[in-house]
Amino acid sequence: MSHQSGHDNEKSGAPGEISRRRFIQVSSVLSAVPFLASESIASAPADPAHIPVHQTDDGVRIVPTCSSFDCGGKCDIRAHIKDGKAIRITTRPDAELNEEMPIMRACVRGRGYRKFIYHPDRLKYPMKRVGKRGEGRFDRISWEEATSLIAAEWQRISDKYGPASRFVSLSTGVTGGIFSGANMLRRLFNLTGGFLENYHSVSNGNTMAATPYTYGTAASGSTLDTLENTPLVILWGHNPNETIFGHSNHYFQKMKKNGTKFIVVDPRYSDTASSLADQWIPLLPTTDNAMMDAMMYVIVTENLHDQAFIDKYTLGFSEDQMPESVADNESLVAYLTGRKDGMAKTPEWAEKITKVPADTIRQLAREYATTKPAVLMQGWGPQRHICGERSARGATLLATITGNVGVRGGWAAGYGMALNPELRKTIAGPVLFDNPVKAKINITNQVQACEDKNLVTPDNGLKNADKLDTEIKMIFSMAGNYMTNQNTDILHAASVLEDESKVEFIVCSDLYLTPSAKYADLLLPETSFLERWNIGGTWSYGDYLILSEKAIEPEFERRTDYDWLCEVAEKLGVRDAFTEGHETDRDWIEFLVNDAAQKRPEDNIPTFDELLVKRRHLLTHRPHTQNVAFEQNIQDPENNPFPTPSGKIEIFSKHLYDMHNPEIPALSHYVPATEGPEDSLTAKYPLQLITWKGRNRANSTQFANPWLQEVQRQELWINPADAADRGVSDGEKVKVHNDRGITMIPVKITQRIMPGVVALQAGAWWQPDSNGIDQGGCANVLTSSRSTALAHGNAHQTLLVEVEKA
Ligand SMILES: Nc1nc2c(c(=O)[nH]1)N[C@H]1C(S)=C(S)[C@@H](COP(=O)(O)OP(=O)(O)OC[C@H]3O[C@@H](n4cnc5c(=O)[nH]c(N)nc54)[C@H](O)[C@@H]3O)O[C@H]1N2
Ligand SMILES: Nc1nc2c(c(=O)[nH]1)N[C@H]1C(S)=C(S)[C@@H](COP(=O)(O)OP(=O)(O)OC[C@H]3O[C@@H](n4cnc5c(=O)[nH]c(N)nc54)[C@H](O)[C@@H]3O)O[C@H]1N2
Ligand SMILES: [Mo]
């Protein structure tokens, strides 16, 4: 039996397999606090976690809760409920900051939830497709008709093609909790024969696959409170001001006030650069490794590396530190100095590739190597590139040769989440049962598996099988917009979905008629997080869980996914096994919390009734803080070898060497990327396009929220020089295109993007006009489905385009 919760599509097949959001952890801080039996008025509670429900004199009930979106934070949401309606959303006052549990104040997204929940466009009734697939024409039907149709198609398709024809499309709209419709669907699938699973995290799967080649595990992050006294932080393609990443902003702001210097390396002058950075270093996308190589060249040739650290803990630095049966001149030093290929990796060499001035590189290298300790922390934007595995691992080499691994205040780079299983106890989600279908596809092959089963092979990531026995014939998208919008190369994806002879039945559960929902045969209106129960947990930098309460009743005919799944289970004859007596989402949450509380009394997990009063709980075991990744491996290497083949930090990976794949070299170094700045395709499409996760939505969630559309408009960032070359002026609509697609969008001419690069915020809805041309600035009509060398992962960020006057 498998216990799973949270981000289940977001799994990695990497060595040291982990997922950042699969577990909610619970622990032991608040033991002896007497719990109140009823709701009470807030008054500076003795228990720092206790934020009670507040009832005002004029009949407003203020419910502390959280959303289950996937934006990286579980912020303090206070829903003001009057007469069954959410009339206002507020958040924690500054004065209530609790250093033990620094729950964040809600940002614009959180404050804007009412417009998301009460928008007139929100789906109200179950609907059945009437037009062609993708046209977006639907008729209202009854729930009885909807669940009967699902049960009938479920049976028919399973009988005809087998359970491996059933698929759950990637969905992150409900991931921040222990309970989701997608997971309950998986449970029902498994009870009735199973389904075709997928693996690989589109968020961070490339770094998850690559980081273990250096350290033996991807869990390379420390808790952020260990950085309190760090003098220098380089944020490399990391934009937590917008992407949140647990408690990052809380700690970074504190560090900034204490004098920590921040440097941001990003082709874009991000909001993090503008709010935090002392220096911004723009570089061309996909050239990160060239800059890293040149930094290492400076460090080694100027003798700034930590030789003692390298001698004791690492493999592959110099020729005398190589594993057996490797040719000469394969070490890091041989590569950097050009002994291998005749090219010294000087800052001048890197300047031509990256467009970063050689002196800037030289200065950054010296500063990083001579400041002790120092942090080089990577976001996941750079690894969502075709070369993402190389850049993820490249930074681990820099951290290693400067001795920043396993030391307090340093940072090991790579994946970078704080995960110490020893410290963690969990409230797991409902049991999903074993999946009888063993074959698993990489998420990058979702479309191919619908198109033609022979397109999916072990070479491109098929696991546990030599071939697929059937195409995907039935898709459920449960809180996802990935069937089209968020996937790569969506015009191709759409053409496959349009063909009703391929996938025969598509169900979509959402709150809105999204571009993916248009491809549904059956469209189901779900409740929102304010209309159901859950337990929210942070990404792994955070340490608390929050009760997400059903604060308002669903309106119209909206239902939780669990509710209609129970009805489908009934029609399939497995209702009792499916529910195990838990009739509602609340029953499940109550059961899971109480079960965990009872099984681990030593962890002081609150009971459900206690949580109803207390609302939040600090998660991990004490000491939940001050956890330095690899500290034991460094302090006592004899007893704690690194979990790599050699037991050392592997600068050089023999495993990668033996793969003989130039895309994923044994040393992680620069290799020009396909559709990068050195590709001959630049003659036709000279601009690199990148996307970023902006502050006014979580991926495409809340795209239609009018308040949030005011926060930041969808526009193409372009440098004044590139705009001038093309004769376009600010605000003018342009045509952005390549061989895969076209999008029309106004430009924002700005120095915030470097020359040669244009940027679009990710997650805009695809809005094809009558000619099929996108009028919405959806980057994924342009992105490529090409996959990475090691993880077979997604590369949403690597593409070339041209921009023209419309
Ligand atoms: N507000 C908000 N927050 C979110 C989300 C959201 O949609 N909105 N999404 C959430 C999700 S699902 C995830 S997975 C995370 C993702 O978090 P990330 O993947 O870290 O976020 P991105 O914005 O994709 O990328 C971070 C930065 O990388 C830069 N970048 C792009 N290409 C390169 C490159 O080649 N080199 C370098 N050095 N930098 C580059 C981008 O300009 C961007 O500023 O964020 C989460 N948080
Ligand atoms: N170009 C480009 N594309 C990208 C990325 C990128 O960096 N660049 N990033 C990728 C990444 S990291 C990710 S994680 C994916 C995310 O891609 P998706 O998982 O598709 O995430 P969303 O686009 O947010 O879609 C979630 C959907 O769930 C719906 N929803 C919200 N709440 C609920 C609910 O309570 N119930 C139901 N039933 N539905 C709900 C929302 O309305 C929304 O339509 O996008 C990927 N796509
Ligand atoms: Mo993501």
Side-chain angles (χ1 to χ4, degrees), residues 1-4 187 190 430-435 580 599:
M1 297 213 293
S2 59
H3 283 270
Q4 292 174 319
R187 180 177 157 98
N190 286 342
V431 171
L432 303 190
F433 303 116
D434 277 339
N435 184 353
E580 289 183 287
K599 286 191 179 135

Side-chain angles (χ1 to χ4, degrees), residues 6-22:
H7 221 294
D8 271 277
N9 280 323
E10 297 271 86
K11 284 184 228 158
S12 147
E17 180 166 317
I18 44 173
S19 164
R20 73 180 189 268
R21 288 161 286 192
R22 282 181 59 198

Side-chain angles (χ1 to χ4, degrees), residues 7 9-10 20-21 68-70 116 122 169-175 201-204 380-381 383-384 477-483 485-488 508-512 514-516 524-529 532 559 561 689-693 698-703 760-763 765 778-780 783 794 796-797 799:
H7 221 294
N9 280 323
E10 297 271 86
R20 73 180 189 268
R21 288 161 286 192
S68 39
F69 298 143
D70 193 26
F116 181 63
R122 192 174 152 192
S169 181
L170 188 134
S171 52
T172 65
V174 181
T175 46
S201 161
V202 298
S203 305
N204 53 43
W380 299 334
Q383 63 85 57
R384 209 172 297 110
S477 173
M478 313 275 283
N481 189 6
Y482 207 85
M483 288 193 295
N485 217 78
Q486 296 299 103
N487 206 336
T488 49
C508 179
S509 159
D510 205 297
L511 273 49
Y512 286 88
T514 66
S516 293
L524 304 175
E526 233 233 298
T527 49
S528 75
F529 73 93
R532 59 170 186 251
R559 279 171 95 176
D561 287 337
L689 186 144
I690 54 172
T691 47
W692 83 96
K693 313 268 193 178
N699 300 303
S700 74
T701 296
Q702 298 215 65
F703 173 79
L760 275 174
Q761 191 189 331
W765 277 5
C778 175
N780 288 330
T783 50
N794 52 307
H796 279 91
Q797 295 276 21
L799 58 152

Side-chain angles (χ1 to χ4, degrees), residues 71 109 242 266 268 288 380-381 384-385 693-694 697 699:
C71 68
R109 300 192 294 283
E242 288 186 276
D266 196 310
R268 260 179 356 106
D288 303 65
W380 299 334
R384 209 172 297 110
H385 270 289
K693 313 268 193 178
R697 52 183 179 258
N699 300 303

